[in-house]
Structure formats: structure tokens, C-alpha cells
Amino acid sequence: MDIRNFSIIAHIDHGKSTLADRLLQATNAVSAREARAQFLDSMDLERERGITIKASAVTVHHTCDGRDFELNFIDTPGHVDFTYEVSRALTACEGAVLVVDSTQGVQAQTVANAYLAVEAGLELIPVINKIDLPAADPDGVAMEVEQVLGLPAEDCVSVSAKSGKGIQELLDLICRKLPAPRPPRTDKLRGLIFDAKYDDYRGVVVYVRIFDGVLRVGDKIRMMGTGRTFAVSELNRYTPHVTRVKELGWAQVGSISASIKSLKDVRVGDTVTLEGNPADEALPGYEEPKQMVFCDFYPSSADAEAGTGKKASFEALREAIEKLNLNDASFTFEVQHSEALGFGYRCGFLGLLHMDIVQERLEREGGVEIVQTAPTVKYVVKLTAGEEVEIHNPSELPDPSLIAEIREPIAKLEIMCPSENIGDLIKLCDSRRGTFKAQRFLGEGRQILDYELPMAEIIYDFYDKLKSITRGYGTMDYQVVAYRADNLAKVNILVNGDPVEALSLICHRTTAEQRSRAILAKLKKQIDRHQFEIALQAAIGGKIIARESISAMRKNVTAKCYGGDITRKRKLLEKQKEGKKRMKQIGSVSIPQEAFLAVLEQGE
């Protein structure tokens, strides 16, 4: 039987999951009764948001030119934050179906995913989708594909994933055009682990693509990276229903259950081989993803007490994060301690949506209630001694006298937008310390803007502003290209003269005062009044740049004086003033957890 392995790649919302649904129906893998929208999106979160978060591998069968073909395809995410998931899927394939929306044309992530496939050496089939819509322009979009991506316009296949038009022609083209898997290079087993998940009953379930050899039930396997050995108890393929098989042969994709208890025994990108007849060298794994956005997750004690049924201890959070990291290897985590919020984890993500999805999955799948701090980026600090250190948190910044310069990550931004919004977008980028690089015309009414912006200016609300300016038609893709020194400083927040590390931040000196005033205004609303006046200050080094005061609670000591000489009242007020002064010297300010959250969660 001939085998074809391919991925479906596209920009977000261009119809990948709908196309996958039609392929399943056209190959009779799913009956009309079982069919539903987003069939491969198994997570509730994916169905609610209408996006694909996890790549799903499926095996179907198709007959073309009198030959039987086994098609192993992977439906991948489209958002820029899940590029690592796409790159992992492409490693397990020989070809890719590039889907382009006939009403929107080539978008930022279309270009990025196409380049990923070309770098991986994959054969591309361009597909123009949604041709049944009134606003569809398949010929114009085909010319755009040729102009931007260099794929011939006549090679584009026009389909409607919703109605099923052109699906059979696409299946035949996949069988004819995509290359067969490379021949086995050795008879010894080598399988690439491209995904894994934790099952409460079967332990760690490993998803593999077999490149060489054959794997059978009962075989003793060894993980070449970790060196651990296990006995295979079950092999499954997804058609898309779980189907038990006796063996996985050359070029096939499936899952292994081998009673793997520990999460540390499996690493995505590792090679599986046989213990009795091991391979000489492992398959090339994956390039480690570079985390761009960092934030802290702490267990929330308030929700556990409220009887929500969710666990809130640090141990429960650790367990949930480890299980999720097995399924999504693109985020990092390390233990962090905060005076305000206790023990938690410092996590690194590929982007803001990725951070949002991980938090939601922890709460749903891990059953934990968490507190999330404001997102920050990674900085590189050059010390006066010549040494360079990476910091992910303002509290890690060394003493200012030891710092020669602070370098921040600079992202290369590619914005695709309607021509009428160019002026507003240039204004937005310039206000975020952007550097204009190029402006390119994509076609009638659409242009590409190339900018370089500090990553810290993108992570808050840049994407939201871009969408509102372009009324939803603008798209962007970014990648960090360098670390550059700028006029950056650490802003300390002082409460009653004492610095509160959990609230410190790193920002550009030109925006430091504005951001500090916003933080102090929030703190003033959250901290209760005490018996003495509380000074809230923001400082860069020894210089105070902003201040708010919380006035003291005062007892009316002159209430009993209903007449007489004014000196009696003055004497009582002076006595009260001395008491307040003494209290301020020895009194401490209690800052409620809500005050930290009000500042941290909004990040401004």
C-alpha cells in the first residue's frame, strides 16, 4: 500500500479544520451521522474559541488510479503563537496542503507557515478555499499566491470545504503529487516522538512516526534520549476513531501505551528504538522554541476556601503544570517565590494567546485556581565587569552601579493591512518606539508594513489596537531578531518608604512616569487607610518620579472642647500629631493581596 504523510497549514480562520472534516467524510472515515464541525478539535476550549490549539494526526484511506493509498494527515493550528506545534507536525511529513481563504487572500501567517514547510523540504499544494462565498476571488488570490509565495497560480486547487466541492480532486492530487516517504535507512527501529499526553488509566501515551523498522505489541523499547526502557502493551492508530493494531510499520503514525508512569521519562523529539536491537544514532529532534513572554502563576487560596471544588495548593499546581508541559512542550516553568503571593511558577510562553490558553487549560484540565501576574519579556543585562546575564523578572536586576547597559528584545514585525489604514498604523508603531523598515504593495487595496519594535511594546495591547484600527482586517507576524540597548530603567514602587519587589517593573525612561502614576493610582484605591499617613512613591534609583498619599484615619480629639480658649484645642491637636509621627516610624503597612492583583493583572 502507498503511504502519503502531509499537514494542513494556513493562517488562522482560513478553513483548515473544516477541510479536515471534509477529507474525513470524503474518505468514509466518518459517517454522516457522526460528522460534526471541527471533528478533530477534541478540546472544549478549541470548540468554544473556534481555533485549533493542538495538532491532530489521523489516518484515512483513498483509492486513486486503481491504487490504494494510506493518507496520514495532521490538522495544525494557525495562530502565530502555535508555530512550534506546526513545525513539529511538519517534521513528521513529506508534504503540506497550504490553505488560503479566497475572500481574504494571503495573510501574515500564510507566508510564515509556507516558509516553515519550504525550510523543512516539503512539497506544497496550494488550495484556494471558500470559493462558494459571494465575495470569493479565487483567480485574484491564485495570482497573489504566485506573487508572494512563488507557487504557480495554475497549480492552485479551488475547493469549498463547507460544501465539499473540489475535495475529490484534491485527494487525487495529494496521492499523485506528494512524494512517498523516504525509504528505510536501517532495519533497526527508529520512531520520532512528536507528541505525548497523560492518561489517568494508561499513564503517558506517546505519539510516534516510524521512520525505520517495525514496532510490535510486546516489544521492549528504549527512549534514546532518557535511556529508559518499557514494554509496549498497546498500539493504536486514529482513523479518526481509536483503532488497536498489532504493529506499526515503516512511515506509519500511531500511539504507544507502555505503562510509562513518570512524566520525566518522555521527551518530545526523542527517538524510540528496540532495547534488544537498538539503532546506532537517534533521529534529529526539534529545535528548542524561544519563549518570548513571561509571567508568574500562583495558586489562589481564596477560591479554595470559597468551596469551588478546585485545588489551590502549590503541589496541585506543580502536578497540573507538569502534565500540561508533556502535551505542550513549548512553554517553560521554574519555581518562583513572591513575598506577596507565596510559592508559584515563573512560566515562559511563545506569545500572549499561548499564555492565555495555558492558563485556561491549567484551570480546566488540572482543576487548579490560579493567580496570573502581568506579562513581561526577557532582558539581557551587560555588567560593568563584561559579563552578560539574562533576566525574566525586574526583581532579578542587579545593583544599578554594576550595570553597563540593559538590552531588550527587538521584534521584526510584518503587518498586512488595507491601504486606507496605513497612516494610523504607522502612527501606532511610531508611538511604540518602532523603526520603519519597508512598505510593500501586495495587491489591490492591501499592503505590507515592515517595522522593528521592542517586544515589550507589543505584548500588552498592540494586537488589539491593530485589530480595532483595521476593523479586523489587519494581521501580523513577528519574530525576535536582536537584543538592543536602550534608555531602560527599573522603577521601584515604595510603600511607606519600603520597596515592594513584586510591583517593580522595567520600562523606558520616557514612559516611566506615566506608568508609575497609573500603578500608584490603583494602589491608592486598594490599600486601606491606616492610623498614619502612607506615602506611595515610584523611584528610579534614588530619584522619586511619582507620588500619591493615603491620608490617615483621624479621631476628632477636639470634640470634647465645646468652648474656651483656642490653645486647648491646639494642644490636643499637637499631641495627636506627635502620636501619629511616632506611629508612622514603628507602624507597618499591610498590603492586601487584592492590591497586588489589581496592579499585576492589568500590567499598566
Side-chain angles (χ1 to χ4, degrees):
M1 186 181 283
D2 292 295
I3 295 176
R4 297 290 182 268
N5 294 320
F6 65 96
S7 286
I8 304 174
I9 56 175
H11 186 83
I12 193 166
D13 207 26
H14 278 207
K16 292 178 302 301
S17 297
T18 312
L19 181 62
D21 292 345
R22 291 298 82 76
L23 292 178
L24 291 175
Q25 283 182 282
T27 53
N28 299 316
V30 175
S31 67
R33 186 171 61 83
E34 295 169 311
R36 58 174 183 171
Q38 286 178 268
F39 191 93
L40 298 180
D41 291 347
S42 53
M43 267 188 266
D44 290 340
L45 195 54
E46 291 178 309
R47 307 186 72 78
E48 284 169 23
R49 295 193 178 217
I51 60 173
T52 301
I53 295 166
K54 283 295 299 172
S56 307
V58 180
T59 301
V60 295
H61 295 273
H62 180 64
T63 304
C64 175
D65 302 332
R67 291 157 62 195
D68 285 336
F69 285 86
E70 181 183 290
L71 307 179
N72 299 313
F73 71 86
I74 303 177
D75 177 27
T76 63
H79 196 279
V80 59
D81 285 9
F82 302 110
T83 304
Y84 181 62
E85 195 77 27
V86 178
S87 66
R88 274 168 39 188
L90 294 176
T91 311
C93 301
E94 282 77 41
V97 171
L98 179 68
V99 183
V100 184
D101 189 329
S102 63
T103 62
Q104 296 185 48
V106 175
Q107 301 280 314
Q109 217 33 43
T110 315
V111 179
N113 286 341
Y115 287 159
L116 275 178
V118 170
E119 281 169 25
L122 271 57
E123 182 74 36
L124 278 173
I125 296 178
V127 171
I128 311 296
N129 190 20
K130 304 188 186 180
I131 57 168
D132 57 325
L133 294 180
D137 179 19
D139 295 336
V141 172
M143 290 308 296
E144 208 173 277
V145 167
E146 182 172 317
Q147 184 187 338
V148 179
L149 302 174
L151 301 170
E154 56 272 17
D155 287 359
C156 294
V157 186
S158 294
V159 304
S160 167
K162 194 172 184 182
S163 68
K165 186 180 177 185
I167 296 296
Q168 287 296 338
E169 291 85 344
L170 174 61
L171 281 166
D172 291 343
L173 188 63
I174 286 167
C175 297
R176 291 172 190 147
K177 187 177 178 184
L178 294 187
R182 66 155 177 80
R185 292 179 183 160
T186 171
D187 57 351
K188 296 175 180 179
L189 173 70
R190 288 200 302 174
L192 181 70
I193 300 175
F194 66 88
D195 206 353
K197 70 173 185 181
Y198 188 82
D199 187 287
D200 288 335
Y201 302 102
R202 295 184 292 172
V204 180
V205 178
V206 178
Y207 294 85
V208 293
R209 150 82 196 269
I210 307 295
F211 278 88
D212 304 293
V214 179
L215 177 63
R216 296 180 178 88
V217 174
D219 282 347
K220 201 166 185 186
I221 57 169
R222 184 205 293 173
M223 307 291 182
M224 293 186 78
T226 60
R228 298 300 306 272
T229 58
F230 306 95
V232 177
S233 57
E234 190 181 310
L235 294 174
N236 288 313
R237 306 200 71 193
Y238 296 85
T239 64
H241 307 293
V242 178
T243 308
R244 278 199 180 197
V245 292
K246 295 286 183 194
E247 63 176 45
L248 284 176
W250 163 74
Q252 291 188 323
V253 176
S255 71
I256 304 171
S257 297
S259 301
I260 304 170
K261 304 282 193 302
S262 173
L263 303 171
K264 293 174 185 157
D265 292 336
V266 175
R267 206 168 58 222
V268 171
D270 202 352
T271 302
V272 174
T273 190
L274 292 177
E275 168 70 0
N277 187 18
D280 299 327
E281 59 176 336
L283 293 162
Y286 303 112
E287 187 183 334
E288 285 296 311
K290 298 179 180 71
Q291 284 71 34
M292 293 300 141
V293 177
F294 295 84
C295 84
D296 297 350
F297 287 157
Y298 294 96
S300 163
S301 53
D303 287 286
E305 291 160 13
T308 57
K310 293 195 175 184
K311 299 172 283 185
S313 68
F314 174 71
E315 280 302 308
L317 179 61
R318 181 182 61 78
E319 193 180 308
I321 282 185
E322 284 181 357
K323 282 183 184 176
L324 184 58
N325 187 244
L326 181 72
N327 193 235
D328 179 359
S330 58
F331 80 92
T332 58
F333 59 96
E334 59 184 41
V335 177
Q336 186 81 6
H337 181 259
S338 157
E339 286 177 28
L341 303 167
F343 279 98
Y345 280 99
R346 181 84 179 159
C347 300
F349 308 94
L350 303 184
L352 281 180
L353 178 69
H354 187 213
M355 178 183 80
D356 193 21
I357 293 296
V358 167
Q359 184 204 347
E360 192 111 10
R361 287 186 70 186
L362 281 173
E363 294 194 340
R364 290 189 187 202
E365 297 168 24
V368 289
E369 196 72 42
I370 54 181
V371 170
Q372 175 188 328
T373 66
T376 59
V377 296
K378 178 172 75 178
Y379 293 91
V380 175
V381 178
K382 187 177 179 185
L383 304 177
T384 47
E387 189 188 344
E388 288 187 359
V389 292
E390 283 185 4
I391 66 151
H392 302 147
N393 202 337
S395 59
E396 298 169 7
L397 205 65
D399 186 274
S401 62
L402 303 174
I403 298 173
E405 61 184 24
I406 303 174
R407 295 180 192 152
E408 62 180 342
I410 303 295
K412 180 188 173 192
L413 203 63
E414 193 176 75
I415 303 170
M416 293 196 178
C417 60
S419 297
E420 65 261 25
N421 303 126
I422 285 289
D424 291 331
L425 285 173
I426 288 175
K427 235 183 257 178
L428 173 67
C429 294
D430 288 346
S431 70
R432 300 297 177 97
R433 299 191 282 132
T435 308
F436 177 79
K437 288 294 172 187
Q439 183 175 348
R440 291 173 279 155
F441 292 86
L442 191 58
E444 199 178 325
R446 291 174 72 226
Q447 295 184 34
I448 299 178
L449 269 181
D450 289 333
Y451 256 90
E452 284 188 357
L453 270 94
M455 191 70 189
E457 299 287 350
I458 297 174
I459 65 169
Y460 286 118
D461 58 351
F462 185 87
Y463 190 64
D464 294 339
K465 288 249 174 32
L466 166 71
K467 282 291 180 190
S468 64
I469 286 172
T470 60
R471 299 189 305 285
Y473 288 104
T475 58
M476 66 177 236
D477 183 37
Y478 65 86
Q479 65 181 103
V480 172
V481 290
Y483 281 82
R484 288 192 199 135
D486 207 335
N487 192 12
L488 303 170
K490 178 185 176 184
V491 177
N492 284 310
I493 303 296
L494 291 82
V495 177
N496 210 25
D498 298 324
V500 182
E501 276 298 343
L503 297 177
S504 60
L505 67 144
I506 296 172
C507 65
H508 200 267
R509 284 179 191 266
T510 55
T511 59
E513 185 181 334
Q514 176 194 342
R515 288 189 62 184
S516 302
R517 288 192 187 283
I519 289 173
L520 296 185
K522 278 184 203 160
L523 272 181
K524 186 177 179 180
K525 288 179 189 169
Q526 294 291 334
I527 297 176
D528 294 330
R529 289 171 70 188
H530 287 52
Q531 293 285 349
F532 50 90
E533 185 187 37
I534 301 170
L536 304 177
Q537 297 164 308
I540 295 178
K543 184 184 177 187
I544 305 296
I545 58 170
R547 174 183 169 125
E548 291 278 353
S549 296
I550 301 173
S551 56
M553 287 195 292
R554 285 180 175 273
K555 180 184 173 185
N556 188 358
V557 291
T558 61
K560 59 187 178 186
C561 302
Y562 48 85
D565 194 350
I566 187 69
T567 53
R568 282 187 66 205
K569 289 185 179 179
R570 226 176 249 148
K571 185 179 174 186
L572 287 168
L573 287 169
E574 284 298 321
K575 192 177 176 185
Q576 184 189 39
K577 192 176 174 183
E578 284 300 315
K580 295 280 182 200
K581 191 176 174 184
R582 211 164 41 247
M583 200 183 287
K584 188 172 184 178
Q585 288 169 352
I586 60 167
S588 60
V589 180
S590 59
I591 307 174
Q593 190 169 315
E594 293 75 32
F596 286 95
L597 302 187
V599 174
L600 295 172
E601 284 178 343
Q602 296 176 45
E604 279 291 323

